[in-house]
Amino acid sequence: MRVLFTTWAWPSHLYALVPLASAFRAAGHEVLIASQPELKPEIERTGLPAAVVGDDVDAVGMVRGYVLRSSAGDFGGPQAPREGKGPRALRMFSAHAESMTDGLVELARDWRADAVVYEPTALAGPIAAAALDIPAIRVLFGTDLMLRARALLPEVLAPLLDRHGVTGFDPLGTVTVDPCPDTFQVPTDYARLPVRHVPYNGVGVSPGPLPAPAPGVRRVVVTWGHTMAKLSPGLFLAGDVAAALCERDTEVVLAVSASQRPLLDPASASRARIVTDVPLHTLMPGADLVVAHGGAGTVLTALRAGVPLLLVPQLPDHTGHAGRVFAAGAGEVLSRDEATPRRLREEAGRLLDPEAGAAVRETARALRAGMLERPSPADIVNELRTKVITCAA
């Protein structure tokens, strides 16, 4: 069986597909991951086969337009206007679909794909599947923020649908694979295939188990993902946040990439333990709190480890994920303007306090237990093959 995976050129979206793609390949099926040229080297670093379709789109420039306003003033660029009732980023997602769809349809046809697997913003995926009348398997990487755009997408994508003779288009595809705990997910009106979240945070070297903190010292992991530093150095708050949290009874582990490390103020980050290019999930054992931006991968990685979160969202999707963390009772959320050093210390202190933070820690542990009870990607491969792909043939 041949399974074609696709995403537009954004590494974190690719990372969400890697566990299932690896599971299909380990089960003996042929796998190919297709994206725009910019992502090809990152796909190859996963060890999975890569194919290039379409042209690169200035995703960084477009994402800058979606940065949430704050009094700090460094928005990374002019804010994009809201268009319609769906997510503000629909214009960007449709631009990627325009770039990729023709090439993806051709690739899927020539490669004789049996199914297309796509992340929810890679809209070329379900169009290509519909054009070839093969199953479209949607893999969520966080809470389903695209659900409210479901009714709008056929109109937004109408030129592409007409070009490829697609009628009755549903952007949700044939089935949705969901790694999110039920209480973390937004209410949905479709059947979901639950799967265990298996963290894949990119290629890196584990430092091995970190030395245990001294008795009475709490460990806080600070990470700011990859996106915000790409948009503007002024939006990369990890160093300032780490400096605010470094207190006598708190050990701060600051996780950055090699490209982010020069952005750190040596003085402000000098008291933190800085780790570079280390997969985030390897830092979770022994962590008492994760402080971050609210990216889906970071949030699910922390919840998978049963670690509460303190989040400072800077993009609309960060706000969506952070809101679900708060609603589930697994953490706290501050706006960028609220995230002063004093407030960060106060909220982190409350979450770390043995009594005040007890309910949040219990909720995070319960979410972890529920996630571990779900079938693994390897477990659902056969179900997708027999009940979705083979039945549609």
Side-chain angles (χ1 to χ4, degrees), residues 132-152:
L132 300 179
D133 196 25
I134 58 177
I137 299 170
R138 190 173 71 127
V139 178
L140 298 180
F141 51 74
T143 190
D144 194 353
L145 302 178
M146 290 291 287
L147 180 60
R148 65 192 180 98
R150 183 181 192 178
L152 302 174

Side-chain angles (χ1 to χ4, degrees), residues 176-180 182 191-196 374-377 380 383:
T176 292
V177 176
D178 188 358
C180 295
D182 290 340
R192 294 179 290 142
L193 179 60
V195 68
R196 186 184 312 158
R374 290 176 164 224
S376 71
I380 69 167
E383 183 171 358

Side-chain angles (χ1 to χ4, degrees), residues 253-330:
V253 177
L254 176 53
V256 299
S257 67
S259 63
Q260 292 169 352
R261 186 147 190 170
L263 302 179
L264 300 176
D265 177 2
S268 64
S270 61
R271 295 171 56 199
R273 181 192 296 272
I274 301 174
V275 295
T276 304
D277 288 335
V278 172
L280 183 61
H281 67 275
T282 66
L283 302 176
M284 291 298 103
D288 298 296
L289 179 68
V290 170
V291 183
H293 57 306
T298 298
V299 167
L300 288 183
T301 297
L303 295 181
R304 169 70 160 69
V307 182
L309 295 124
L310 173 57
L311 301 172
V312 184
Q314 293 169 273
L315 288 169
D317 61 304
H318 298 169
T319 299
H321 301 308
R324 298 311 301 170
V325 168
F326 182 79

Side-chain angles (χ1 to χ4, degrees), residues 216 218 220 249-250 288-289 308 345-362 365:
R218 295 81 54 88
V220 175
D249 59 351
T250 305
D288 298 296
L289 179 68
R345 285 191 292 270
E346 288 176 353
E347 295 300 334
R350 184 177 63 82
L351 293 169
L352 291 167
D353 184 86
E355 295 184 5
V360 174
R361 288 192 296 277
E362 182 178 349
R365 288 194 293 266

Side-chain angles (χ1 to χ4, degrees), residues 192-278:
R192 294 179 290 142
L193 179 60
V195 68
R196 186 184 312 158
H197 174 67
V198 175
Y200 179 84
N201 308 125
V203 176
V205 178
S206 170
L210 297 177
V217 174
R218 295 81 54 88
R219 175 171 289 162
V220 175
V221 174
V222 175
T223 175
W224 231 252
H226 294 280
T227 296
M228 303 317 297
K230 285 183 183 179
L231 305 184
S232 170
L235 297 170
F236 181 67
L237 308 183
D240 293 340
V241 169
L245 297 176
C246 284
E247 297 188 293
R248 185 169 54 187
D249 59 351
T250 305
E251 178 197 53
V252 175
V253 177
L254 176 53
V256 299
S257 67
S259 63
Q260 292 169 352
R261 186 147 190 170
L263 302 179
L264 300 176
D265 177 2
S268 64
S270 61
R271 295 171 56 199
R273 181 192 296 272
I274 301 174
V275 295
T276 304
D277 288 335
V278 172

